[in-house]
Amino acid sequence: MAKQALITGITGQDGYHLAELLNEKGYSVYGIIRGQQNPKKNRVEQEQPYVKLIEGDLTDPSSLVRAMEISKPDEVYNLAAISHVGYSFKTPQLTADVTAKGTLNMLEAIRLSGGAKTVRFYQASTSEMFGGLDYNRPGKGYDEEALFHPRSPYGVAKLYAHWITKNYRESYDMHASCGILFNHEGPRRGLEFVTRKISNAAARIHLGKQDHIELGNLEPKRDWGYAGDYVEGMWLMLQQDKPDDFVLATGETHSIGEYLDLAFKEVGINDWKPYVKQNPAFMRPAEVDILLGNPSKAENVLGWKRKVDFPGLVKMMVEYDIGLESAGSLSS
Ligand code: NAP
Ligand code: GDD
């Protein structure tokens, strides 16, 4: 019998890649979609017609119970969140309701529908929980044992979600695992995140559709991988006999300046500086200066390894945006 999976956050970047992966593996894929008129519904229906959409919202517990009844899942992947760090400073209560309490709502929906012992649960934890401080092991990177010190309402909300997931594992014997994922990007990344904002701007500047890009802090460094590689790790976590927590990362860190270098060179511009203006509106009240992950546990236990390297990722994103913008499509 085909396995059934329920994905929250189906309209997001990871929801897209995970649905592709699970469909290829023969799963019956259900996805929770929020809002009366979600503009991304058409995109999912056209590109991924195999996904069975269920209306619901992480902040509405009864809609999650209903989603459990309809999908009868073997595996639940909780990817939904207010996921933009900058936006979380502007909407801290909403971020707590969705990103923190929404995870509790999903866990309770599983438990109350009788799935505590049978349903496997994946929680989308994040490197933002580390916060870039206490970076006292240069070269080694954050692993599963590193200290948490979140630096945003998003990071704090995700830390609650992380611990409530571990608590349900310990209290109800749930097969509930947390993937502590470092930044992962790709052509499906939202335009509000810095990598896609830059790849799209480089393409538009190349095509004469835009003459500059406005960015905030250019100093931070991130451990950037490809989202397509990371959803494989999510799936692997739920195939283990025992639930556990795993860091997924590349083990490399790069600055925004390095990303700009590669993206602009991809469109034949050797010096990006004349095209970049700094705008304080994109700065954050507190910043995560550096993230570097140590994926040794995932590599050893899950056999997971990232495939796409940093230059390959930048090239993939810029090429995609050149194609999209050349075709005159709206960026998506
Ligand atoms: P994303 O593209 O921003 O997608 C977020 C998803 O959450 C969207 O489908 C959104 O739906 C949905 N959502 C927001 N509020 C909701 C609510 N109240 N009820 C139901 N759904 C709601 O994020 P992503 O990059 O795919 O990331 C997936 C998850 O991994 C997130 O939890 C993120 O925080 C976490 N994570 C991401 C990264 C990364 O680098 N990408 C790294 C670590 C952890 P709408 O389309 O309706 O807005
Ligand atoms: N978004 C954005 N826009 N970020 C900018 C800009 C800008 O114009 N200019 C500079 N930055 C800097 C941010 O201040 C941050 O230091 C860095 O670029 C990366 O920002 P984002 O791409 O928004 O990602 P993030 O690292 O804050 O958060 C992402 O990764 C987390 C995992 O570490 C998100 O996907 C989170 O959901 C995820 O948990």
Side-chain angles (χ1 to χ4, degrees), residues 76 78 99 103 121-125 158 161-162 165 177-180:
V76 173
N78 186 37
T99 304
T103 302
F121 181 78
Y122 173 84
Q123 171 55 22
S125 291
K158 278 288 183 181
H162 182 78
T165 301
S177 293
C178 300
I180 307 173

Side-chain angles (χ1 to χ4, degrees), residues 48-120:
Q48 300 183 303
Y50 53 81
V51 173
K52 296 177 249 315
L53 290 173
I54 303 172
E55 287 161 335
D57 194 299
L58 270 198
T59 61
D60 184 324
S62 65
S63 73
L64 303 179
V65 171
R66 184 173 158 270
M68 289 296 297
E69 283 168 4
I70 294 171
S71 61
K72 298 185 178 41
D74 300 288
E75 296 171 9
V76 173
Y77 294 85
N78 186 37
L79 309 184
I82 298 294
S83 77
H84 192 272
V85 174
Y87 183 65
S88 80
F89 281 102
K90 294 167 189 153
T91 61
Q93 275 113 343
L94 176 67
T95 302
D97 285 344
V98 177
T99 304
K101 219 172 134 203
T103 302
L104 172 63
N105 291 342
M106 192 66 245
L107 286 162
E108 273 295 273
I110 295 171
R111 196 176 70 85
L112 295 174
S113 61
K117 293 278 196 293
T118 52
V119 176
R120 296 189 173 195

Side-chain angles (χ1 to χ4, degrees), residues 141-152:
Y142 292 106
D143 60 18
E144 294 78 6
E145 309 305 322
L147 283 180
F148 294 127
H149 188 141
R151 299 266 292 159
S152 63

Side-chain angles (χ1 to χ4, degrees), residues 252-269:
E252 288 173 25
T253 189
H254 297 277
S255 66
I256 295 165
E258 285 174 78
Y259 188 97
L260 282 161
D261 274 342
L262 291 179
F264 276 76
K265 280 193 180 127
E266 201 59 46
V267 297
I269 298 173

Side-chain angles (χ1 to χ4, degrees), residues 83-85 126-128 154 181-183 189 192-195 197 214-217 220 222 256 282 284 287-288 291:
S83 77
H84 192 272
V85 174
T126 166
S127 46
E128 275 288 309
Y154 167 77
L181 270 52
F182 283 65
N183 297 52
R189 191 55 146 154
E192 67 274 34
F193 298 95
V194 79
T195 54
K197 188 172 169 181
E214 294 189 6
L215 294 170
N217 188 350
R222 290 290 182 271
I256 295 165
F282 297 112
R284 295 164 184 182
E287 182 59 270
V288 172
L291 288 176

